[in-house]
Amino acid sequence: MGLMRVVRNRPLSDGVFELELSAPPEVLGAAPGTFLHVAVGGGVFLRRPFSIHRTDPQDGTAAVAYAVRGEGTRVLSQTKPDTVLDVLGPLGSGYSLPEGARRVLLVGGGMGAAPLLHAAQFLKGRADCDAVLGFASASYAFALDRFEACCRSLRAVTDDGSLGVKCSACDAAARLIETERPDAVWACGPEGMYRAMQGLGCFRNLVCQVSLEERMGCGVGACLTCSCRVRAGEGWEYRRVCADGPVFPLGEVVFGG
Amino acid sequence: MGLMRVVRNRPLSDGVFELELSAPPEVLGAAPGTFLHVAVGGGVFLRRPFSIHRTDPQDGTAAVAYAVRGEGTRVLSQTKPDTVLDVLGPLGSGYSLPEGARRVLLVGGGMGAAPLLHAAQFLKGRADCDAVLGFASASYAFALDRFEACCRSLRAVTDDGSLGVKCSACDAAARLIETERPDAVWACGPEGMYRAMQGLGCFRNLVCQVSLEERMGCGVGACLTCSCRVRAGEGWEYRRVCADGPVFPLGEVVFGG
Amino acid sequence: MVDRPSLAVEVCGVPMKNPCIAASGTFGFGEEYQRYFPLHKLGAICVKGLTLEPRQGNPPPRIAETPSGMLNSVGLQNPGVRAFLRDHLPRLADSGTAVIANIAGNTAEEYCKIAAMLSKSRVDMLELNISCPNVKEGGVAFGTRPESVLEITRRVKTESGGKPLAVKLSPNTSDIGETALAAREGGADAISLINTITGMAVDVKNMRPVLANVTGGLSGPAIRPVALRMVYEAARAVTIPVIGMGGIMSGEDAAAFLLCGARAFMVGTATVVSPTACVHIVAELERYLKEQGIGDVNALVGALKA
Amino acid sequence: MVDRPSLAVEVCGVPMKNPCIAASGTFGFGEEYQRYFPLHKLGAICVKGLTLEPRQGNPPPRIAETPSGMLNSVGLQNPGVRAFLRDHLPRLADSGTAVIANIAGNTAEEYCKIAAMLSKSRVDMLELNISCPNVKEGGVAFGTRPESVLEITRRVKTESGGKPLAVKLSPNTSDIGETALAAREGGADAISLINTITGMAVDVKNMRPVLANVTGGLSGPAIRPVALRMVYEAARAVTIPVIGMGGIMSGEDAAAFLLCGARAFMVGTATVVSPTACVHIVAELERYLKEQGIGDVNALVGALKA
Ligand SMILES: Cc1cc2nc3c(=O)[nH]c(=O)nc-3n(C[C@H](O)[C@H](O)[C@H](O)COP(=O)(O)OP(=O)(O)OC[C@H]3O[C@@H](n4cnc5c(N)ncnc54)[C@H](O)[C@@H]3O)c2cc1C
Ligand SMILES: Cc1cc2nc3c(=O)[nH]c(=O)nc-3n(C[C@H](O)[C@H](O)[C@H](O)COP(=O)(O)OP(=O)(O)OC[C@H]3O[C@@H](n4cnc5c(N)ncnc54)[C@H](O)[C@@H]3O)c2cc1C
Ligand SMILES: Cc1cc2nc3c(=O)[nH]c(=O)nc-3n(C[C@H](O)[C@H](O)[C@H](O)COP(=O)(O)O)c2cc1C
Ligand SMILES: Cc1cc2nc3c(=O)[nH]c(=O)nc-3n(C[C@H](O)[C@H](O)[C@H](O)COP(=O)(O)O)c2cc1C
Ligand code: FES
Ligand code: FES
């Protein structure tokens, strides 16, 4: 926890911004898939959670990439460099590399690309990594150059065909799994993408970890407001996205209800 | 009512700031003793009332002088030039020059000096004006040079003698009344000053107008939250500081309760 | 996108050109606001609470700022119903907008007398204020127990001479549905809610209450979640029209109240903050309807998917 | 200026090194906060509401931001009293701070069973939660009628085996003094208030409630004026200690509650916003006492000049 200075805050693509913070060692060394819980100021009452998008240990900076959705992200998008923000983190339990895994496939949908760049940075020297990123349209794509710098391969697809082939990230990833046979999939995207993945055998047959989103309070596991459903025995039980996740095995997550 | 751009916002003295706004004609031509009702922003919910301190019709600017008291004035003191503020006004009914009056004595206590500069500006060419300004200490005095430029004479006094003689504005004014025989007194200061004035015959025997303060809501006369007590018949009745005042005849105001 | 959504509503027979009503106590008798916008832009104006005799109200300070809200302890200062009828109503009735008279008494008899006097006037609706937290007698005392709500409503309705009667409910209760039902059983044509929630602020430096009256009524966005819930519950408890209010600052806030079941809404504190608030809220509501592709504001009423 | 004001208080026999208590439901069983500060810095910890059997709680979303506040609809998710006694209490009881167990049941029998199980444990105090707005049965249903407050308090007190019993009152009532009196008559050793106020938020774009449970409990600064008023009224109604809460974000906020008559205070939502809130609040309270020249925090209690 602490005060972090804004180094830069700039648009990456249509409605997507990158906030670069002067970050302490624990953030610079954070596990991929963990997040920062940001008090954005300006009368916004609760913190807002954002995955770590990338870190630059040399510069001592870490960045989050965020889409402007409502009041909190709107206020954040107007934050000026040198503003000091109250930021908690790194929080949560992120992606983990299965023992002996050599090849990881990253699958991102929309803003889900955000934590995957940090994942790709982390995997450098640890495993080969390929990325499949899906966006609604080319104008929303971001950080592709950075992904290219960190990944063995990058495939960007769009819903409307304005960038790459016209197809979903899930389908593109499914095809890649057949050819590349990764040992693990690290995914981040909307619920619809995860549901589609759960429906496909190829994702069920390998270690597949997904990052969930839920409205949050404390971010540290105490208030029990960020529940998601995870298989337990015959049925399911609530788990905390902030502390038990945000990353869970795809097969254990129960959607809808 | 309208949006006004901050031209300058700078300290005048210990804890006192001047906010200069790009102002519309109705503010530039406002009567002395009227006020602006400022939405300071930054999560502060209600507006804050400040008397017009001075206007500069040439530059198209008007200024308020304010002391940092609580959250609202703290936020205001941090407002940067070019910020656009939502400002209502001019509001209220100000000082008025009695028919045929030639000499006006201005009596200010502390921040009460704020509207009196505007009054002095207004009186230029209309009547002679002398000013007596009392401050707790020299470090709180402000705008003395501007007063000197507008008034026939200026006497600044302090509670601790660090500037001028050690005496109250009320007592200094009482002495001046004897020698200068003004036709009217326009005063602005804390309640204690007005009570002292009510106790002295010299203020009772001439037209003496005082500006009151009360916590405000709407500022336009509708919500009835800004009441003060004014003599009526045998007793008193509540009047609205924002719309019936802020300026009232000293003799009519009933203090305490 | 819809071109020009229809904003007109009708509340127990009173047509309004839009569902936005200036709330009692924050709009005086309208006179102060004429210089800010033509009053006919409003759906209706609800005037400051009227008592039988003129009333001085409580000592100042009467207002305190609180987080996202304010406390007031005005205490029903008003010139009395006769002065209203003589000095204010004529102009207001000609202003091109519906007029609602908010009435408050110390006793049931007083309520009835005021209603009787107004029943022959040009006001379009009566609003029975049994929920003012800032007066010792009457006010909220009538508004918290269902039996007394029923009783006072019945008696006032008898005196209202056919004018529609809205009963303004107090949020200082454990079961708003019960109070709403009581008002309906007493003959209310509509209910309006919420009035302010009793609250308090402390000046810790001087170790005193901020308000001379110690307690006051909390209004503004801070209470909106409570107001929305109560409107939602009340609208499910009764079928008569519900007029919702409490912290409406924007067109989207207003839409939330309509979705929860309000047929119209009142705006109070927003006007205290900005004189033209109502006009902006109507414009924003219209824009919201366009964006949602809804052609008639009445389609929002109770349309919450819950 | 006072050098080192004394912050120690005693609440019905339980000594606390300062009057700041982590509120139920926002501090878990303390485990998550150990990495942020040593728990012995707190006057006491009130644990998440305990039920007889483990409880899943309500579906998500369970939280909504509102102006200066938040709504939660957690619905008493907890591992049950047995798991608490086995897995959590041992560590907590060794943490160097007093432990308050917040208990919630569906039925009076359940409340009594939980109390009986805890009466032989190392907890220092029981807090009877009859004011949870987020569960269908029990909870707030027990907390709004004075007769049922009296009855449930009496029954649970009998089972508490000498542990001090605080009764946590619901703000969803028209007369908090009456409820406080009922708790005292039932044998409460202290009362605590306020729990959250039932509220609601609407997602106007999707025309849905934000919370899956539709309604939730409003907490945070938005409700502070209501909380202060109720603490003030309750402290005047009963002589047993009052523990105040509702929107305390700073040491000055805490001081306001003490001035209104609270013997100690709880901090909930502030911790949700910042894990170290309690520690800062204690430091600010100490600074406030120094500035006011007050040597002992107990001198603040009920010292409001009203
Ligand atoms: C672990 C985690 C990591 C995230 N990482 C990113 C990221 O890297 N980039 C990014 O753009 N977004 C991310 N999000 C989503 C992001 O937190 C929301 O978009 C943001 O909180 C919206 O805030 P707002 O005030 O702009 O929107 P509003 O809708 O106005 O917010 C209102 C409330 O809803 C909550 N909320 C709204 N949408 C979401 C959501 N999808 N998830 C959680 N809470 C929400 C807000 O926190 C707030 O309490 C992440 C969410 C979680 C839980
Ligand atoms: C007609 C009028 C003209 C004024 N002109 C000036 C001026 O020219 N220069 C100046 O420095 N001050 C002036 N004041 C006082 C000024 O409005 C307050 O100092 C200011 O509102 C304090 O706000 P705050 O948020 O900093 O203080 P806080 O104490 O945090 O404010 C809390 C609340 O109290 C109200 N309040 C606090 N003190 C006063 C007060 N003395 N009068 C009215 N409301 C108060 C605030 O408006 C707010 O609602 C004037 C007041 C009135 C009524
Ligand atoms: C200054 C003020 C005065 C009020 N006076 C009255 C009144 O006379 N009669 C009444 O029924 N309600 C009165 N109210 C309550 C409002 O009409 C409204 O019910 C309440 O403020 C909630 O709405 P809001 O949050 O939009 O203000 C008053 C409110 C305020 C802020
Ligand atoms: C997320 C959350 C969970 C809560 N859970 C409980 C609970 O289990 N038992 C209880 O008595 N109160 C519970 N409360 C209420 C708080 O203890 C407290 O009474 C209320 O939030 C007001 O204080 P605050 O404004 O400081 O949060 C909860 C509050 C929140 C915000
Ligand atoms: S946000 Fe509080 S437990 Fe997850
Ligand atoms: S502030 Fe509203 S009437 Fe004066």
Side-chain angles (χ1 to χ4, degrees):
Chain A
M1 187 184 65
L3 300 175
M4 301 189 197
R5 196 173 49 82
V6 175
V7 174
R8 248 193 337 181
N9 189 21
R10 55 169 191 139
L12 289 182
S13 72
D14 197 357
V16 178
F17 287 73
E18 187 188 64
L19 177 80
E20 210 176 312
L21 298 162
S22 164
E26 62 273 24
V27 172
L28 299 175
T34 57
F35 68 96
L36 301 180
H37 211 20
V38 183
V40 302
V44 175
F45 188 64
L46 298 171
R47 289 171 191 269
R48 298 291 189 263
F50 302 101
S51 304
I52 298 173
H53 175 48
R54 60 184 182 84
T55 61
D56 189 333
Q58 245 86 62
D59 286 7
T61 61
V64 301
Y66 62 98
V68 173
R69 295 253 171 85
E71 181 61 9
T73 47
R74 194 188 61 73
V75 169
L76 197 59
S77 70
Q78 290 168 358
T79 305
K80 298 268 176 307
D82 287 331
T83 308
V84 173
L85 294 177
D86 174 359
V87 179
L88 267 179
L91 299 175
S93 136
Y95 299 103
S96 62
L97 200 57
E99 196 72 45
R102 290 279 149 74
R103 260 182 302 253
V104 178
L105 175 62
L106 307 177
V107 183
M111 279 314 299
L116 298 182
L117 180 64
H118 188 217
Q121 287 185 325
F122 170 84
L123 289 171
K124 249 191 155 169
R126 291 187 168 94
D128 287 338
C129 105
D130 302 289
V132 171
L133 303 178
F135 298 97
S137 189
S139 65
Y140 300 112
F142 64 94
L144 298 184
D145 49 343
R146 292 190 189 271
F147 273 98
E148 264 172 351
C150 299
C151 301
R152 196 173 61 167
S153 80
L154 164 66
R155 185 158 313 184
V157 300
T158 51
D159 296 345
D160 65 359
S162 54
L163 173 77
V165 286
K166 182 170 172 171
C167 110
S168 75
C170 173
D171 291 341
R175 251 167 275 149
L176 218 71
I177 289 172
E178 278 178 35
T179 58
E180 300 297 323
R181 305 256 151 233
D183 304 308
V185 170
W186 291 0
C188 185
E191 187 177 313
M193 179 175 113
Y194 299 151
R195 284 177 186 258
M197 286 166 69
Q198 282 185 339
L200 294 177
C202 63
F203 291 103
R204 283 198 298 265
N205 300 331
L206 46 70
V207 175
C208 183
Q209 301 171 359
V210 300
S211 177
L212 301 186
E213 278 190 11
E214 192 44 76
R215 291 177 182 248
M216 283 187 178
C218 67
V220 304
C223 74
L224 307 183
T225 57
C226 62
S227 313
C228 62
R229 291 187 184 82
V230 165
R231 267 180 231 297
E234 299 284 276
W236 53 263
E237 62 182 24
Y238 285 126
R239 299 286 280 282
R240 302 162 303 176
V241 169
C242 71
D244 302 315
V247 175
F248 293 90
L250 174 66
E252 293 193 9
V253 184
V254 180
F255 292 110
Chain B
M1 188 182 64
L3 301 175
M4 302 189 197
R5 194 173 50 82
V6 175
V7 175
R8 243 182 354 170
N9 190 19
R10 57 172 189 135
L12 289 182
S13 72
D14 198 357
V16 178
F17 287 73
E18 187 189 63
L19 178 79
E20 208 176 312
L21 298 162
S22 166
E26 63 272 24
V27 173
L28 299 176
T34 58
F35 67 95
L36 302 179
H37 211 21
V38 183
V40 302
V44 175
F45 187 64
L46 298 172
R47 291 171 190 268
R48 298 291 189 266
F50 302 101
S51 304
I52 298 175
H53 175 47
R54 60 183 181 86
T55 60
D56 190 332
Q58 245 87 62
D59 286 8
T61 59
V64 301
Y66 61 98
V68 174
R69 294 255 171 83
E71 182 62 9
T73 47
R74 195 188 60 73
V75 169
L76 196 60
S77 71
Q78 291 168 358
T79 306
K80 298 269 178 304
D82 287 328
T83 308
V84 173
L85 294 177
D86 175 358
V87 178
L88 265 179
L91 298 175
S93 135
Y95 299 103
S96 60
L97 199 57
E99 195 74 45
R102 290 278 149 76
R103 262 182 300 252
V104 178
L105 174 64
L106 307 176
V107 184
M111 280 313 299
L116 298 183
L117 180 63
H118 188 218
Q121 288 186 325
F122 169 84
L123 289 171
K124 250 193 154 164
R126 289 190 172 93
D128 287 339
C129 105
D130 301 289
V132 170
L133 303 178
F135 298 97
S137 189
S139 64
Y140 300 113
F142 63 95
L144 298 185
D145 48 344
R146 292 190 189 271
F147 273 98
E148 266 172 351
C150 299
C151 300
R152 198 174 59 167
S153 81
L154 164 67
R155 185 160 312 187
V157 301
T158 51
D159 296 345
D160 65 359
S162 54
L163 174 76
V165 287
K166 181 171 172 172
C167 111
S168 75
C170 174
D171 291 341
R175 250 166 278 149
L176 219 68
I177 290 173
E178 280 177 36
T179 58
E180 301 297 323
R181 304 258 152 228
D183 304 307
V185 170
W186 290 1
C188 186
E191 187 177 313
M193 180 174 110
Y194 299 152
R195 284 179 187 257
M197 286 166 70
Q198 281 186 338
L200 295 176
C202 61
F203 291 102
R204 281 199 299 265
N205 299 333
L206 45 71
V207 175
C208 182
Q209 301 171 359
V210 300
S211 177
L212 300 185
E213 278 190 12
E214 193 43 76
R215 292 178 181 248
M216 283 187 178
C218 68
V220 304
C223 75
L224 307 184
T225 57
C226 62
S227 314
C228 63
R229 289 187 185 84
V230 165
R231 266 179 233 298
E234 297 286 275
W236 51 264
E237 63 183 22
Y238 284 126
R239 298 287 280 281
R240 303 161 303 176
V241 169
C242 71
D244 302 314
V247 175
F248 293 90
L250 174 67
E252 293 193 7
V253 185
V254 180
F255 293 109
Chain C
M1 287 284 272
V2 173
D3 245 24
R4 271 214 143 266
S6 160
L7 289 175
V9 300
E10 201 192 274
V11 180
C12 41
V14 178
M16 302 180 186
K17 64 176 76 64
N18 62 58
C20 182
I21 306 172
S24 179
T26 57
F27 211 75
F29 303 116
E31 284 140 31
E32 290 79 11
Y33 290 98
Q34 276 168 327
R35 45 184 289 222
Y36 294 102
F37 62 89
L39 299 184
H40 66 72
K41 292 220 162 191
L42 298 172
I45 291 172
C46 184
V47 304
K48 176 67 194 168
L50 298 168
T51 50
L52 193 58
E53 302 303 330
R55 197 136 159 177
Q56 287 273 39
N58 291 319
R62 291 179 173 183
I63 185 169
E65 175 160 333
T66 66
S68 297
M70 61 171 273
L71 291 165
N72 90 79
S73 59
V74 170
L76 290 179
Q77 178 179 339
N78 81 97
V81 63
R82 285 179 202 86
F84 167 70
L85 288 169
R86 186 185 61 226
D87 304 335
H88 303 285
L89 182 59
R91 183 166 13 180
L92 207 49
D94 285 338
S95 67
T97 186
V99 177
I100 305 177
N102 181 274
I103 66 181
N106 283 332
T107 62
E109 286 68 38
E110 274 186 32
Y111 276 105
C112 289
K113 272 197 197 152
I114 304 167
M117 289 170 75
L118 290 164
S119 71
K120 295 167 221 100
S121 78
R122 291 174 67 197
V123 305
D124 297 286
M125 195 188 295
L126 303 182
E127 182 179 52
L128 186 61
N129 177 2
I130 48 173
S131 43
C132 178
N134 291 324
V135 291
K136 290 255 144 42
E137 295 156 72
V140 76
F142 285 102
T144 47
R145 282 181 36 247
E147 314 85 70
S148 63
V149 171
L150 193 155
E151 170 71 9
I152 186 100
T153 306
R154 196 196 317 269
R155 291 185 58 179
V156 172
K157 180 64 190 168
T158 317
E159 302 295 329
S160 308
K163 297 268 186 214
L165 178 68
V167 176
K168 185 163 180 180
L169 305 183
S170 168
N172 299 294
T173 176
S174 55
D175 188 341
I176 196 76
E178 216 178 31
T179 338
L181 270 172
R184 199 218 50 190
E185 273 178 44
D189 301 294
I191 58 173
S192 56
L193 72 169
I194 60 175
N195 209 317
T196 54
I197 310 181
T198 314
M200 177 171 172
V202 172
D203 174 345
V204 291
K205 214 168 157 66
N206 297 309
M207 300 173 66
R208 292 184 187 285
V210 175
L211 300 175
N213 194 47
V214 183
T215 62
L218 183 64
S219 61
I223 67 168
R224 191 164 64 231
V226 180
L228 277 172
R229 186 263 300 180
M230 289 193 165
V231 165
Y232 180 73
E233 289 178 353
R236 283 158 47 120
V238 296
T239 52
I240 53 175
V242 171
I243 303 171
M245 80 199 89
I248 296 177
M249 303 298 281
S250 72
E252 301 213 332
D253 295 344
F257 277 84
L258 300 176
L259 287 165
C260 286
R263 200 77 66 90
F265 58 89
M266 289 181 170
V267 173
T269 302
T271 299
V272 175
V273 172
S274 279
T276 51
C278 284
V279 180
H280 287 126
I281 288 169
V282 171
E284 287 162 7
L285 179 62
E286 185 171 355
R287 197 178 61 215
Y288 167 80
L289 289 170
K290 280 188 200 164
E291 285 167 5
Q292 298 288 113
I294 297 173
D296 185 336
V297 73
N298 291 290
L300 278 186
V301 179
L304 191 77
K305 299 170 202 144
Chain D
M1 288 285 272
V2 174
D3 244 25
R4 272 214 142 266
S6 161
L7 289 174
V9 299
E10 200 192 273
V11 180
C12 40
V14 179
M16 302 180 186
K17 64 176 76 63
N18 63 57
C20 181
I21 306 172
S24 179
T26 56
F27 211 76
F29 303 116
E31 283 140 32
E32 289 80 9
Y33 290 98
Q34 276 168 327
R35 44 185 288 222
Y36 294 101
F37 63 88
L39 300 184
H40 66 72
K41 291 220 162 194
L42 297 172
I45 291 171
C46 184
V47 303
K48 177 69 195 165
L50 299 168
T51 51
L52 194 58
E53 301 304 328
R55 195 135 160 180
Q56 288 274 40
N58 291 320
R62 291 178 173 182
I63 185 170
E65 175 162 331
T66 66
S68 298
M70 60 171 273
L71 291 164
N72 90 81
S73 58
V74 170
L76 290 177
Q77 178 179 340
N78 81 97
V81 62
R82 286 180 200 87
F84 167 71
L85 288 168
R86 187 185 60 226
D87 304 335
H88 303 284
L89 182 58
R91 184 165 12 178
L92 207 48
D94 285 338
S95 66
T97 186
V99 177
I100 304 175
N102 181 275
I103 66 180
N106 284 332
T107 61
E109 288 67 40
E110 274 185 34
Y111 276 105
C112 289
K113 271 197 197 151
I114 304 167
M117 289 168 75
L118 290 164
S119 71
K120 296 168 220 97
S121 77
R122 291 175 68 198
V123 305
D124 298 285
M125 195 189 295
L126 303 182
E127 182 180 52
L128 187 61
N129 176 2
I130 47 172
S131 44
C132 179
N134 291 324
V135 292
K136 289 255 146 40
E137 298 156 71
V140 76
F142 285 102
T144 48
R145 283 182 33 249
E147 314 84 72
S148 63
V149 171
L150 192 156
E151 170 71 10
I152 187 97
T153 307
R154 196 197 316 272
R155 291 185 58 178
V156 172
K157 181 64 191 168
T158 319
E159 302 296 329
S160 309
K163 297 266 187 216
L165 177 68
V167 176
K168 186 165 180 179
L169 305 184
S170 168
N172 299 293
T173 176
S174 55
D175 188 341
I176 197 75
E178 214 178 32
T179 338
L181 271 172
R184 197 217 53 189
E185 271 177 47
D189 301 295
I191 59 173
S192 56
L193 73 167
I194 60 174
N195 209 318
T196 55
I197 309 181
T198 314
M200 175 170 173
V202 171
D203 175 345
V204 289
K205 215 169 156 64
N206 298 310
M207 300 172 67
R208 291 183 188 286
V210 175
L211 300 175
N213 193 47
V214 184
T215 62
L218 183 64
S219 62
I223 67 167
R224 192 165 63 230
V226 180
L228 277 172
R229 186 262 301 180
M230 290 194 164
V231 165
Y232 180 73
E233 288 178 354
R236 283 158 46 121
V238 296
T239 52
I240 53 175
V242 171
I243 303 171
M245 80 198 89
I248 296 176
M249 303 297 281
S250 73
E252 300 214 331
D253 295 343
F257 278 83
L258 301 177
L259 287 166
C260 286
R263 201 76 68 91
F265 59 89
M266 289 181 170
V267 173
T269 302
T271 299
V272 174
V273 172
S274 278
T276 51
C278 284
V279 180
H280 287 125
I281 288 169
V282 171
E284 287 162 7
L285 178 62
E286 186 171 355
R287 197 180 58 216
Y288 167 81
L289 289 170
K290 278 187 202 164
E291 286 167 3
Q292 299 287 112
I294 297 173
D296 184 337
V297 73
N298 291 290
L300 278 187
V301 178
L304 192 76
K305 297 170 204 146

